[in-house]
Amino acid sequence: MSSSRMPWRTRAATAVLAVLAGIGASAVPGPALAATPPENSRQTVTYHGYRIDVPADWQVVDLTENPRACIRFDRPAVYIGEPADQNDCPARVVGRTPGIVVEPITARSAGQATAATARTQPGKATAPSAASDNDTIQIAVEDAGVLVTAAHTPATESLVRGVLGSAKLTAGAKRTELPRAAQQSAVAPLVAAGPQPGSYLGKGFDACTAPSQAAMNAWQTSSPYSAVGVYISGSFRGCAQPNLTASWVTNQTNNGWRLFPIDVGRQAPCTSYSLKMSADPATAKSQGVTAAAGAVTAASNLGIPAGSAIYSDIEAYTSTASCKAAVLSYLSGWTERLHSSGYLSGFYSSAASGIKDAASEYNNSAYTRVDHLFYAWWNGAADTNTGTYVPATYWSNHQRIHQYVGEVTESYGGYSINIDRDYLDVGTGTPPPPTCTGVNLNFTSYTTVQNGSTGDRVKAAQCLLKAAGYDPGAPDGIFGPATTTAAKNFQTSRGLTADGVIGPKTWTALLSRGSTPTIQNGSTGEAVTRLQRALTAALGRTIAIDGDFGPGTEQGVRDYQSSRRLSVDGIVGPATWGALQSGK
């Protein structure tokens, strides 16, 4: 395979065999694991007083026996125990099948919790209403003291929910509560670190799973790298991310590391991957919007601020005219949605396929151009030259990352990591901000509007939908079929009932959309205005919309937090923003 094409991230056969060999013994029951012979093609797995029934052909990996095992979701497996700081992951794993991680609730694992993490009721091991975020369901089973993370694809979600629904508590269960602060941690230190990767010229690397803090410290001291690619989101991420938390992000950026966040979502329709974008350009664009919305949520949860670039990973494909149209339409939706939240859009692919296709339509106004290129061309040259794939004048203003060597293992300070080598020449840039100039968004109530409605509230809804990347056409105050479609697509992206009716939940999600700084009594500005609008919609009562976080706004926040079972402190941090932006 040509080095200018991005290979499948599962192609390193020797590495895979080595991992399989290393974890083979871990499928044998040990002190922490009880597995019964398959019954009706099922097997029972028990850990820490938490028991589930899984298909008999799933691999069971005991991390107590083999803590360095790579937690990967490209093959059906259950991982039990606490992951080690170091693992034996190959650099590239793309693809997802059902996979479940059951780990003890600790200070480290609690850092993975987000606003989407469900908690079981006392005496229960299941949470039937747990939401799926980026095709991942996470449940804190506090009566067993475990955090359960379940990966799936759209096609396997029902299977995974069935497995989670089989869960029971055993006599060995001991309660450990997930700290409430785990979902409300402040991210102000990271915001101070600035957008990522920011302005940087030099070497970096990307790895399948974010390295431990100890490894990052060792590499910072003795490696030639000062930037690291991290897989923050996407329905096709192959590796788990036990280290990747908001505190990890804050620590790295405060220590001088630059991050380039990566999303692995739908792949080109002309590939054999199991999760592909539609060959229909309009549908593909909508799918790009949805992917970007998930990436923005993930970035926000990790404290990666607006102004950062997020790179969509679309692996190598054999290009055709229709395939290219689908990919570039997907990237148009991806870019427009990221811009609407103040982020820059990046595109990762093989120089010989996706990157070449993007360059060929650089000046085509039918597509929205991405801001940064991140291209795989394994020629060993640490530079941002694109050869014949991309003209030198395209994306020439500090907008390039070159992945110039793939799948190599390097060791610094006693820590070995399998990586891809990258060279970055990037700048901050500024995405065009969404505006609703001349459209009134401030109302004393946000009444339900739907097909056939007219007036200023309809115009406000249309403007907000358009700014969110769901275009209903020019805001004209007339709620017609295009507005209904845009509303349904927005609702789908937020996990709301996709009925096209803009009621309290949809209003709340629309009005709160945007950056998510931590704000409290005394804060002022645009984020406070958005909060006040969203609270007015969510609570069904008027909150003064003046951009000034005073006692009335604080009481509204406390009432909202209490009614949504959030930590009641009157401070709007990630958990409260997450609930508002999910339409809760």
Side-chain angles (χ1 to χ4, degrees), residues 510-550:
L510 280 170
L511 291 162
S512 61
R513 189 195 58 80
S515 61
T516 57
T518 298
I519 54 177
Q520 56 190 308
N521 199 341
S523 298
T524 59
E526 183 269 344
V528 176
T529 300
R530 283 190 287 111
L531 168 69
Q532 292 166 333
R533 292 171 183 151
L535 288 174
T536 297
L539 296 173
R541 72 170 194 261
T542 302
I543 302 291
I545 303 171
D546 57 9
D548 186 356
F549 199 130

mmCIF file of all heavy atoms in Angstrom, residues 510-550:
data_model
loop_
_atom_site.group_PDB
_atom_site.id
_atom_site.type_symbol
_atom_site.label_atom_id
_atom_site.label_comp_id
_atom_site.label_asym_id
_atom_site.label_seq_id
_atom_site.Cartn_x
_atom_site.Cartn_y
_atom_site.Cartn_z
ATOM 1 N N LEU A 510 -31.874 25.357 21.790
ATOM 2 C CA LEU A 510 -31.502 26.369 20.801
ATOM 3 C C LEU A 510 -30.951 27.628 21.457
ATOM 4 O O LEU A 510 -29.931 28.177 21.048
ATOM 5 C CB LEU A 510 -32.717 26.734 19.948
ATOM 6 C CG LEU A 510 -33.100 25.795 18.800
ATOM 7 C CD1 LEU A 510 -34.469 26.183 18.239
ATOM 8 C CD2 LEU A 510 -32.057 25.816 17.696
ATOM 9 N N LEU A 511 -31.617 28.088 22.484
ATOM 10 C CA LEU A 511 -31.260 29.366 23.101
ATOM 11 C C LEU A 511 -29.954 29.291 23.886
ATOM 12 O O LEU A 511 -29.247 30.292 24.033
ATOM 13 C CB LEU A 511 -32.389 29.827 24.022
ATOM 14 C CG LEU A 511 -33.687 30.246 23.314
ATOM 15 C CD1 LEU A 511 -34.859 30.256 24.290
ATOM 16 C CD2 LEU A 511 -33.532 31.616 22.647
ATOM 17 N N SER A 512 -29.600 28.102 24.394
ATOM 18 C CA SER A 512 -28.383 27.965 25.207
ATOM 19 C C SER A 512 -27.162 27.612 24.375
ATOM 20 O O SER A 512 -26.031 27.618 24.887
ATOM 21 C CB SER A 512 -28.588 26.887 26.274
ATOM 22 O OG SER A 512 -28.864 25.632 25.673
ATOM 23 N N ARG A 513 -27.357 27.299 23.089
ATOM 24 C CA ARG A 513 -26.256 26.844 22.239
ATOM 25 C C ARG A 513 -25.141 27.891 22.172
ATOM 26 O O ARG A 513 -25.397 29.085 22.110
ATOM 27 C CB ARG A 513 -26.794 26.578 20.828
ATOM 28 C CG ARG A 513 -25.826 25.893 19.897
ATOM 29 C CD ARG A 513 -26.323 26.010 18.466
ATOM 30 N NE ARG A 513 -26.478 27.402 18.088
ATOM 31 C CZ ARG A 513 -25.470 28.183 17.722
ATOM 32 N NH1 ARG A 513 -24.239 27.722 17.688
ATOM 33 N NH2 ARG A 513 -25.696 29.436 17.386
ATOM 34 N N GLY A 514 -23.894 27.408 22.191
ATOM 35 C CA GLY A 514 -22.738 28.299 22.113
ATOM 36 C C GLY A 514 -21.669 27.883 23.093
ATOM 37 O O GLY A 514 -21.656 26.753 23.591
ATOM 38 N N SER A 515 -20.748 28.781 23.374
ATOM 39 C CA SER A 515 -19.653 28.475 24.292
ATOM 40 C C SER A 515 -20.197 28.265 25.706
ATOM 41 O O SER A 515 -21.285 28.738 26.040
ATOM 42 C CB SER A 515 -18.617 29.604 24.288
ATOM 43 O OG SER A 515 -19.207 30.821 24.714
ATOM 44 N N THR A 516 -19.429 27.577 26.546
ATOM 45 C CA THR A 516 -19.928 27.188 27.864
ATOM 46 C C THR A 516 -18.963 27.582 28.976
ATOM 47 O O THR A 516 -18.471 26.729 29.717
ATOM 48 C CB THR A 516 -20.187 25.676 27.909
ATOM 49 O OG1 THR A 516 -18.966 24.987 27.562
ATOM 50 C CG2 THR A 516 -21.280 25.271 26.950
ATOM 51 N N PRO A 517 -18.672 28.860 29.128
ATOM 52 C CA PRO A 517 -17.795 29.273 30.231
ATOM 53 C C PRO A 517 -18.507 29.116 31.573
ATOM 54 O O PRO A 517 -19.740 29.154 31.648
ATOM 55 C CB PRO A 517 -17.530 30.748 29.926
ATOM 56 C CG PRO A 517 -18.758 31.192 29.192
ATOM 57 C CD PRO A 517 -19.171 30.016 28.358
ATOM 58 N N THR A 518 -17.744 28.909 32.619
ATOM 59 C CA THR A 518 -18.332 28.856 33.953
ATOM 60 C C THR A 518 -18.735 30.277 34.367
ATOM 61 O O THR A 518 -17.909 31.186 34.387
ATOM 62 C CB THR A 518 -17.336 28.276 34.963
ATOM 63 O OG1 THR A 518 -17.019 26.935 34.586
ATOM 64 C CG2 THR A 518 -17.929 28.272 36.369
ATOM 65 N N ILE A 519 -20.026 30.479 34.670
ATOM 66 C CA ILE A 519 -20.541 31.805 35.039
ATOM 67 C C ILE A 519 -21.328 31.690 36.329
ATOM 68 O O ILE A 519 -21.891 30.634 36.652
ATOM 69 C CB ILE A 519 -21.395 32.427 33.918
ATOM 70 C CG1 ILE A 519 -22.529 31.476 33.487
ATOM 71 C CG2 ILE A 519 -20.540 32.792 32.722
ATOM 72 C CD1 ILE A 519 -23.455 32.054 32.434
ATOM 73 N N GLN A 520 -21.392 32.790 37.068
ATOM 74 C CA GLN A 520 -22.080 32.793 38.352
ATOM 75 C C GLN A 520 -22.454 34.231 38.702
ATOM 76 O O GLN A 520 -22.235 35.158 37.904
ATOM 77 C CB GLN A 520 -21.183 32.195 39.422
ATOM 78 C CG GLN A 520 -19.829 32.883 39.552
ATOM 79 C CD GLN A 520 -18.887 32.112 40.448
ATOM 80 O OE1 GLN A 520 -19.247 31.777 41.573
ATOM 81 N NE2 GLN A 520 -17.703 31.807 39.953
ATOM 82 N N ASN A 521 -23.014 34.399 39.893
ATOM 83 C CA ASN A 521 -23.447 35.724 40.340
ATOM 84 C C ASN A 521 -22.304 36.727 40.169
ATOM 85 O O ASN A 521 -21.199 36.507 40.651
ATOM 86 C CB ASN A 521 -23.877 35.653 41.808
ATOM 87 C CG ASN A 521 -24.753 36.837 42.191
ATOM 88 O OD1 ASN A 521 -24.769 37.855 41.509
ATOM 89 N ND2 ASN A 521 -25.485 36.697 43.284
ATOM 90 N N GLY A 522 -22.579 37.809 39.448
ATOM 91 C CA GLY A 522 -21.552 38.811 39.160
ATOM 92 C C GLY A 522 -21.042 38.764 37.742
ATOM 93 O O GLY A 522 -20.441 39.733 37.261
ATOM 94 N N SER A 523 -21.268 37.633 37.049
ATOM 95 C CA SER A 523 -20.827 37.523 35.658
ATOM 96 C C SER A 523 -21.707 38.392 34.757
ATOM 97 O O SER A 523 -22.882 38.650 35.067
ATOM 98 C CB SER A 523 -20.884 36.070 35.185
ATOM 99 O OG SER A 523 -20.030 35.240 35.936
ATOM 100 N N THR A 524 -21.146 38.814 33.653
ATOM 101 C CA THR A 524 -21.908 39.587 32.670
ATOM 102 C C THR A 524 -21.526 39.108 31.272
ATOM 103 O O THR A 524 -20.540 38.397 31.091
ATOM 104 C CB THR A 524 -21.593 41.097 32.774
ATOM 105 O OG1 THR A 524 -20.194 41.293 32.561
ATOM 106 C CG2 THR A 524 -21.990 41.652 34.123
ATOM 107 N N GLY A 525 -22.323 39.500 30.276
ATOM 108 C CA GLY A 525 -21.947 39.247 28.898
ATOM 109 C C GLY A 525 -22.893 38.336 28.154
ATOM 110 O O GLY A 525 -23.989 37.982 28.622
ATOM 111 N N GLU A 526 -22.457 37.950 26.958
ATOM 112 C CA GLU A 526 -23.286 37.214 26.012
ATOM 113 C C GLU A 526 -23.701 35.855 26.552
ATOM 114 O O GLU A 526 -24.837 35.408 26.345
ATOM 115 C CB GLU A 526 -22.513 37.069 24.689
ATOM 116 C CG GLU A 526 -23.277 36.378 23.574
ATOM 117 C CD GLU A 526 -23.054 34.869 23.552
ATOM 118 O OE1 GLU A 526 -22.079 34.400 24.193
ATOM 119 O OE2 GLU A 526 -23.858 34.169 22.910
ATOM 120 N N ALA A 527 -22.800 35.151 27.261
ATOM 121 C CA ALA A 527 -23.145 33.836 27.798
ATOM 122 C C ALA A 527 -24.260 33.953 28.837
ATOM 123 O O ALA A 527 -25.138 33.077 28.932
ATOM 124 C CB ALA A 527 -21.915 33.179 28.412
ATOM 125 N N VAL A 528 -24.242 35.017 29.628
ATOM 126 C CA VAL A 528 -25.303 35.239 30.614
ATOM 127 C C VAL A 528 -26.635 35.490 29.896
ATOM 128 O O VAL A 528 -27.687 34.970 30.306
ATOM 129 C CB VAL A 528 -24.948 36.413 31.541
ATOM 130 C CG1 VAL A 528 -26.107 36.699 32.497
ATOM 131 C CG2 VAL A 528 -23.672 36.124 32.320
ATOM 132 N N THR A 529 -26.605 36.252 28.818
ATOM 133 C CA THR A 529 -27.826 36.514 28.049
ATOM 134 C C THR A 529 -28.410 35.202 27.520
ATOM 135 O O THR A 529 -29.627 34.971 27.613
ATOM 136 C CB THR A 529 -27.523 37.469 26.877
ATOM 137 O OG1 THR A 529 -27.012 38.697 27.394
ATOM 138 C CG2 THR A 529 -28.774 37.752 26.066
ATOM 139 N N ARG A 530 -27.557 34.355 26.957
ATOM 140 C CA ARG A 530 -28.047 33.063 26.462
ATOM 141 C C ARG A 530 -28.635 32.230 27.595
ATOM 142 O O ARG A 530 -29.678 31.563 27.432
ATOM 143 C CB ARG A 530 -26.903 32.282 25.790
ATOM 144 C CG ARG A 530 -26.555 32.783 24.408
ATOM 145 C CD ARG A 530 -25.599 31.852 23.687
ATOM 146 N NE ARG A 530 -24.249 31.918 24.231
ATOM 147 C CZ ARG A 530 -23.656 30.952 24.902
ATOM 148 N NH1 ARG A 530 -24.287 29.812 25.138
ATOM 149 N NH2 ARG A 530 -22.415 31.089 25.352
ATOM 150 N N LEU A 531 -27.967 32.241 28.739
ATOM 151 C CA LEU A 531 -28.472 31.511 29.901
ATOM 152 C C LEU A 531 -29.851 32.016 30.296
ATOM 153 O O LEU A 531 -30.773 31.208 30.545
ATOM 154 C CB LEU A 531 -27.497 31.677 31.067
ATOM 155 C CG LEU A 531 -28.007 31.207 32.437
ATOM 156 C CD1 LEU A 531 -28.146 29.697 32.453
ATOM 157 C CD2 LEU A 531 -27.075 31.671 33.546
ATOM 158 N N GLN A 532 -30.033 33.313 30.360
ATOM 159 C CA GLN A 532 -31.315 33.877 30.781
ATOM 160 C C GLN A 532 -32.437 33.527 29.818
ATOM 161 O O GLN A 532 -33.560 33.215 30.244
ATOM 162 C CB GLN A 532 -31.171 35.396 30.934
ATOM 163 C CG GLN A 532 -30.259 35.795 32.100
ATOM 164 C CD GLN A 532 -29.839 37.252 32.074
ATOM 165 O OE1 GLN A 532 -29.777 37.877 31.005
ATOM 166 N NE2 GLN A 532 -29.551 37.821 33.238
ATOM 167 N N ARG A 533 -32.147 33.551 28.530
ATOM 168 C CA ARG A 533 -33.155 33.142 27.546
ATOM 169 C C ARG A 533 -33.530 31.670 27.749
ATOM 170 O O ARG A 533 -34.712 31.302 27.752
ATOM 171 C CB ARG A 533 -32.618 33.339 26.125
ATOM 172 C CG ARG A 533 -32.412 34.779 25.702
ATOM 173 C CD ARG A 533 -31.665 34.828 24.380
ATOM 174 N NE ARG A 533 -31.365 36.185 23.933
ATOM 175 C CZ ARG A 533 -30.315 36.499 23.189
ATOM 176 N NH1 ARG A 533 -29.454 35.560 22.805
ATOM 177 N NH2 ARG A 533 -30.119 37.752 22.823
ATOM 178 N N ALA A 534 -32.491 30.824 27.909
ATOM 179 C CA ALA A 534 -32.729 29.386 28.039
ATOM 180 C C ALA A 534 -33.499 29.066 29.313
ATOM 181 O O ALA A 534 -34.392 28.199 29.314
ATOM 182 C CB ALA A 534 -31.401 28.635 28.013
ATOM 183 N N LEU A 535 -33.187 29.741 30.407
ATOM 184 C CA LEU A 535 -33.916 29.516 31.650
ATOM 185 C C LEU A 535 -35.376 29.928 31.512
ATOM 186 O O LEU A 535 -36.280 29.268 32.040
ATOM 187 C CB LEU A 535 -33.255 30.290 32.793
ATOM 188 C CG LEU A 535 -31.913 29.764 33.296
ATOM 189 C CD1 LEU A 535 -31.317 30.709 34.328
ATOM 190 C CD2 LEU A 535 -32.060 28.362 33.901
ATOM 191 N N THR A 536 -35.629 31.025 30.808
ATOM 192 C CA THR A 536 -37.001 31.458 30.579
ATOM 193 C C THR A 536 -37.793 30.377 29.859
ATOM 194 O O THR A 536 -38.947 30.086 30.205
ATOM 195 C CB THR A 536 -37.019 32.769 29.767
ATOM 196 O OG1 THR A 536 -36.385 33.804 30.525
ATOM 197 C CG2 THR A 536 -38.440 33.199 29.424
ATOM 198 N N ALA A 537 -37.162 29.749 28.869
ATOM 199 C CA ALA A 537 -37.833 28.672 28.129
ATOM 200 C C ALA A 537 -37.985 27.424 28.980
ATOM 201 O O ALA A 537 -39.036 26.783 28.984
ATOM 202 C CB ALA A 537 -37.049 28.355 26.853
ATOM 203 N N ALA A 538 -36.919 27.057 29.700
ATOM 204 C CA ALA A 538 -36.920 25.800 30.450
ATOM 205 C C ALA A 538 -37.842 25.826 31.656
ATOM 206 O O ALA A 538 -38.516 24.844 31.963
ATOM 207 C CB ALA A 538 -35.493 25.471 30.892
ATOM 208 N N LEU A 539 -37.870 26.966 32.371
ATOM 209 C CA LEU A 539 -38.657 27.061 33.595
ATOM 210 C C LEU A 539 -40.098 27.493 33.339
ATOM 211 O O LEU A 539 -40.952 27.355 34.215
ATOM 212 C CB LEU A 539 -37.990 28.048 34.562
ATOM 213 C CG LEU A 539 -36.596 27.651 35.068
ATOM 214 C CD1 LEU A 539 -35.989 28.783 35.879
ATOM 215 C CD2 LEU A 539 -36.669 26.376 35.901
ATOM 216 N N GLY A 540 -40.352 28.046 32.149
ATOM 217 C CA GLY A 540 -41.703 28.499 31.847
ATOM 218 C C GLY A 540 -42.088 29.748 32.597
ATOM 219 O O GLY A 540 -43.279 30.025 32.808
ATOM 220 N N ARG A 541 -41.094 30.515 33.036
ATOM 221 C CA ARG A 541 -41.369 31.792 33.687
ATOM 222 C C ARG A 541 -40.313 32.800 33.244
ATOM 223 O O ARG A 541 -39.244 32.418 32.762
ATOM 224 C CB ARG A 541 -41.373 31.656 35.199
ATOM 225 C CG ARG A 541 -40.015 31.443 35.847
ATOM 226 C CD ARG A 541 -40.139 31.561 37.372
ATOM 227 N NE ARG A 541 -38.854 31.689 38.033
ATOM 228 C CZ ARG A 541 -38.206 30.690 38.615
ATOM 229 N NH1 ARG A 541 -38.721 29.468 38.594
ATOM 230 N NH2 ARG A 541 -37.049 30.907 39.225
ATOM 231 N N THR A 542 -40.591 34.044 33.365
ATOM 232 C CA THR A 542 -39.711 35.080 32.840
ATOM 233 C C THR A 542 -38.497 35.283 33.743
ATOM 234 O O THR A 542 -38.645 35.513 34.947
ATOM 235 C CB THR A 542 -40.469 36.413 32.696
ATOM 236 O OG1 THR A 542 -41.595 36.215 31.835
ATOM 237 C CG2 THR A 542 -39.555 37.482 32.110
ATOM 238 N N ILE A 543 -37.334 35.179 33.151
ATOM 239 C CA ILE A 543 -36.075 35.562 33.774
ATOM 240 C C ILE A 543 -35.602 36.804 33.025
ATOM 241 O O ILE A 543 -35.520 36.782 31.786
ATOM 242 C CB ILE A 543 -35.009 34.457 33.680
ATOM 243 C CG1 ILE A 543 -35.512 33.156 34.323
ATOM 244 C CG2 ILE A 543 -33.699 34.915 34.302
ATOM 245 C CD1 ILE A 543 -35.672 33.214 35.821
ATOM 246 N N ALA A 544 -35.318 37.882 33.721
ATOM 247 C CA ALA A 544 -34.912 39.125 33.053
ATOM 248 C C ALA A 544 -33.700 38.878 32.165
ATOM 249 O O ALA A 544 -32.692 38.318 32.613
ATOM 250 C CB ALA A 544 -34.600 40.190 34.090
ATOM 251 N N ILE A 545 -33.801 39.283 30.904
ATOM 252 C CA ILE A 545 -32.730 39.064 29.931
ATOM 253 C C ILE A 545 -31.971 40.378 29.766
ATOM 254 O O ILE A 545 -32.335 41.245 28.969
ATOM 255 C CB ILE A 545 -33.302 38.580 28.581
ATOM 256 C CG1 ILE A 545 -34.114 37.294 28.783
ATOM 257 C CG2 ILE A 545 -32.173 38.348 27.576
ATOM 258 C CD1 ILE A 545 -34.903 36.847 27.570
ATOM 259 N N ASP A 546 -30.907 40.525 30.561
ATOM 260 C CA ASP A 546 -30.143 41.770 30.538
ATOM 261 C C ASP A 546 -28.631 41.547 30.509
ATOM 262 O O ASP A 546 -27.855 42.500 30.541
ATOM 263 C CB ASP A 546 -30.513 42.636 31.744
ATOM 264 C CG ASP A 546 -30.291 41.925 33.082
ATOM 265 O OD1 ASP A 546 -29.695 40.828 33.085
ATOM 266 O OD2 ASP A 546 -30.725 42.465 34.119
ATOM 267 N N GLY A 547 -28.206 40.273 30.450
ATOM 268 C CA GLY A 547 -26.778 39.988 30.409
ATOM 269 C C GLY A 547 -26.067 40.183 31.730
ATOM 270 O O GLY A 547 -24.832 40.142 31.789
ATOM 271 N N ASP A 548 -26.820 40.356 32.813
ATOM 272 C CA ASP A 548 -26.243 40.607 34.135
ATOM 273 C C ASP A 548 -26.689 39.488 35.075
ATOM 274 O O ASP A 548 -27.877 39.346 35.375
ATOM 275 C CB ASP A 548 -26.708 41.964 34.660
ATOM 276 C CG ASP A 548 -26.023 42.360 35.964
ATOM 277 O OD1 ASP A 548 -25.245 41.555 36.492
ATOM 278 O OD2 ASP A 548 -26.280 43.477 36.450
ATOM 279 N N PHE A 549 -25.732 38.676 35.534
ATOM 280 C CA PHE A 549 -26.025 37.530 36.399
ATOM 281 C C PHE A 549 -26.211 38.046 37.830
ATOM 282 O O PHE A 549 -25.262 38.193 38.588
ATOM 283 C CB PHE A 549 -24.878 36.523 36.338
ATOM 284 C CG PHE A 549 -25.207 35.128 36.806
ATOM 285 C CD1 PHE A 549 -24.876 34.032 36.021
ATOM 286 C CD2 PHE A 549 -25.823 34.899 38.033
ATOM 287 C CE1 PHE A 549 -25.149 32.738 36.440
ATOM 288 C CE2 PHE A 549 -26.102 33.612 38.464
ATOM 289 C CZ PHE A 549 -25.775 32.528 37.667
ATOM 290 N N GLY A 550 -27.462 38.335 38.188
ATOM 291 C CA GLY A 550 -27.778 38.837 39.515
ATOM 292 C C GLY A 550 -28.575 37.828 40.307
ATOM 293 O O GLY A 550 -28.677 36.649 39.933
#
